[in-house]
Structures are given as C-alpha cells and as structure tokens.
C-alpha cells in the first residue's frame, strides 16, 4: 500500500513503499513497513496537533474537520471550538522527525480542500506507540480516542 498526501512528495518518497499491517503485527508497534533496499522499519506514532486562530462559525469548523477526517482517513478524533481545535491520529513513519514533518504539513495541505479555518499550528506532540500506551496505563496520558469522530470541546 502506498500512501501519499496532496502537494509535494516528502523527501525520499520515491524510495519508500509502505505495506499493510498483517493481523498478527498490529500489537507489536514495531516494523509495519520497510524502506526499499535499506531495511529501515516504519513505526506508529501518536500525533496530537493543536491549531488556533480567529473565531469561525462552529458549524463551518465542524464541517471542515469532518471533511479533513474524510480526506485523511487515519484521523481518530478532533475536538473543536470557534477559535481552536485539537486533532489526534496515528501516523506511520520511519522516525519522529518524519512523523513530525508530516504532521506539521497536515493542516496547510488540507486547508483549501477541506476549507479549514486560516488557523496556525500552535502545538504538536509526537510520541511512539509504546509511550502512548504506557501513559494511558499509568493514567497520566491522553485517554484513548473515544468516541472516534469530530466533537466540540
């Protein structure tokens, strides 16, 4: 499975091929894809992207976030108000730098197609799968995204 986003391809994209996770592989959090010819494993990263800006009508914000979830089917949940939003999802990437780079492009690349508000990114958290699950188990991390979807704060 090859995954891409509208706009410019990420550096080295021509060399990478992503493959699907088999049913027995989902719990490990380790190798879910390999860079062609280099044997570097991709990992899953939990992303929390926070955006903020001038006020926008709530129905328009909700519609835009629902469109973003449709355009980017890996989104878990979005919470929103009339002047800020938080988007949480899993990203597949070789390392934290790649995951963060993709996350930082998400809002801008989908701004026109999803008609997102002209807000700026004001926060980004990228943690690996094990850290996410450890935080949740210890009770000090973000709870699992439930219910999945777009919801007001």
């Amino acid at each position: 499975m090859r995954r891409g986003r509208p706009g410019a391809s990420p550096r080295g994209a021509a060399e990478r091929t992503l493959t699907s996770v088999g049913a027995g592989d989902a719990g490990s959090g380790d190798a879910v894809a390999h860079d062609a010819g280099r044997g570097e494993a991709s990992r899953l990263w939990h992303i929390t992207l926070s955006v903020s800006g001038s006020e926008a009508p709530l129905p328009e914000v909700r519609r835009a976030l629902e469109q973003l979830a449709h355009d980017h089917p890996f989104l878990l949940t979005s919470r929103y108000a009339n002047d800020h939003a938080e988007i949480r999802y899993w990203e597949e990437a070789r390392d934290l730098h790649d995951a963060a780079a993709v996350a930082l492009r998400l809002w801008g690349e989908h701004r026109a197609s999803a008609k997102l508000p002209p807000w700026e990114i004001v926060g980004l958290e990228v943690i690996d799968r094990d850290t996410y699950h450890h935080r949740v188990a210890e009770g000090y991390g973000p709870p699992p995204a439930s219910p999945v979807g777009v919801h007001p704060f």
Side-chain angles (χ1 to χ4, degrees), residues 5-148:
R5 303 205 194 296
S9 296
R11 189 185 80 213
E15 301 171 3
R16 293 187 191 172
T17 302
L18 300 180
T19 57
S20 298
V21 178
D25 299 336
S28 69
D30 290 332
V32 292
H34 292 276
D35 287 347
R38 294 187 294 188
E40 295 180 32
S42 289
R43 296 165 47 192
L44 288 176
W45 301 89
H46 186 266
I47 308 291
T48 303
L49 184 69
S50 300
V51 294
S52 180
S54 58
E55 291 188 9
L58 285 176
E60 290 181 23
V61 174
R62 179 180 181 92
R63 189 223 34 85
L65 290 172
E66 287 173 344
Q67 183 62 47
L68 178 62
H70 181 266
D71 293 348
H72 192 283
F74 305 99
L75 291 181
L76 292 175
T77 187
S78 297
R79 299 186 306 163
Y80 66 94
N82 63 346
D83 64 349
H84 66 283
E86 177 185 273
I87 300 164
R88 295 175 52 201
Y89 67 100
W90 290 97
E91 183 64 61
E92 187 176 359
R94 180 178 50 89
D95 59 23
L96 181 135
H97 298 306
D98 286 354
V102 170
L104 289 170
R105 290 192 316 262
L106 177 73
W107 191 259
E109 288 183 355
H110 289 276
R111 183 171 284 148
S113 65
K115 297 183 181 156
L116 296 167
W119 297 343
E120 67 177 330
I121 296 172
V122 295
L124 173 66
E125 180 183 54
V126 180
I127 57 175
D128 69 357
R129 184 180 176 136
D130 291 338
T131 301
Y132 173 83
H133 288 296
H134 178 72
R135 283 184 179 182
V136 170
E138 294 293 320
Y140 61 87
S146 176
V148 172

